[in-house]
Amino acid sequence: MEWEISFDEKENILFVKTHGILDMASSKALTKECLEVIKKENCRRCLVDTREITSQNLGTLEIHSLPNLFTELDFPHDLRLAEVTLKKYAKDFGFFETVCRNNGYLASVFFDVESALQWLRQ
């Protein structure tokens, strides 16, 4: 998977746009890169747009382990993470949202950017 990261200073939102194949190796690399910007900018809002991924190759156990990675990397628990995805990935991203929330991370899944931005701006 490849991605572009940008930071909107005015709104204090980290924007991530992904494309390609979503797998565990790229998820870890992306998480680490995002965390660098989050810490540098003291950002607490992140929008990850995965609508251009071509496939999702994370298994249930890998999705379940992602909050453990957040904990290992000292991801801020007060970060609001909005995941924008396609409806065909709703089950997997919904599971990601659940395991994040069960581990004290505030993540929500959306199918359009505007809804995600409204939630981030709350």
Side-chain angles (χ1 to χ4, degrees):
M1 179 176 70
E2 297 176 3
W3 56 83
E4 296 90 37
I5 295 176
S6 61
F7 179 68
D8 183 325
E9 291 181 27
K10 182 179 176 186
E11 293 213 58
N12 195 28
I13 298 175
L14 179 67
F15 289 93
V16 181
K17 180 92 170 156
T18 65
H19 54 279
I21 299 170
L22 174 62
D23 60 18
M24 193 60 173
S26 59
S27 293
K28 286 182 178 181
L30 175 58
T31 300
K32 289 177 183 178
E33 193 171 324
C34 287
L35 185 58
E36 289 177 19
V37 177
I38 288 166
K39 288 184 175 183
K40 176 184 173 198
E41 302 293 344
N42 194 29
C43 175
R44 293 299 179 262
R45 297 185 284 183
C46 181
L47 187 148
V48 180
D49 185 348
T50 62
R51 293 175 298 168
E52 292 183 11
I53 60 172
T54 54
S55 67
Q56 190 290 105
N57 292 343
L58 293 175
T60 302
L61 291 176
E62 290 175 314
I63 295 170
H64 189 269
S65 73
L66 287 172
N68 293 334
L69 175 64
F70 294 172
T71 300
E72 289 171 22
L73 296 173
D74 197 27
F75 224 75
H77 279 274
D78 60 344
L79 176 80
R80 294 174 72 86
L81 175 61
E83 290 275 351
V84 181
T85 192
L86 299 173
K87 290 187 180 184
K88 69 180 180 178
Y89 300 120
K91 182 179 175 184
D92 292 327
F93 280 90
F95 180 59
F96 171 73
E97 176 183 314
T98 299
V99 296
C100 282
R101 288 178 179 244
N102 287 346
N103 285 275
Y105 294 101
L106 189 54
S108 285
V109 176
F110 301 90
F111 302 109
D112 65 274
V113 171
E114 191 52 46
S115 296
L117 286 171
Q118 286 177 1
W119 179 78
L120 286 173
R121 292 173 180 142
Q122 292 178 1

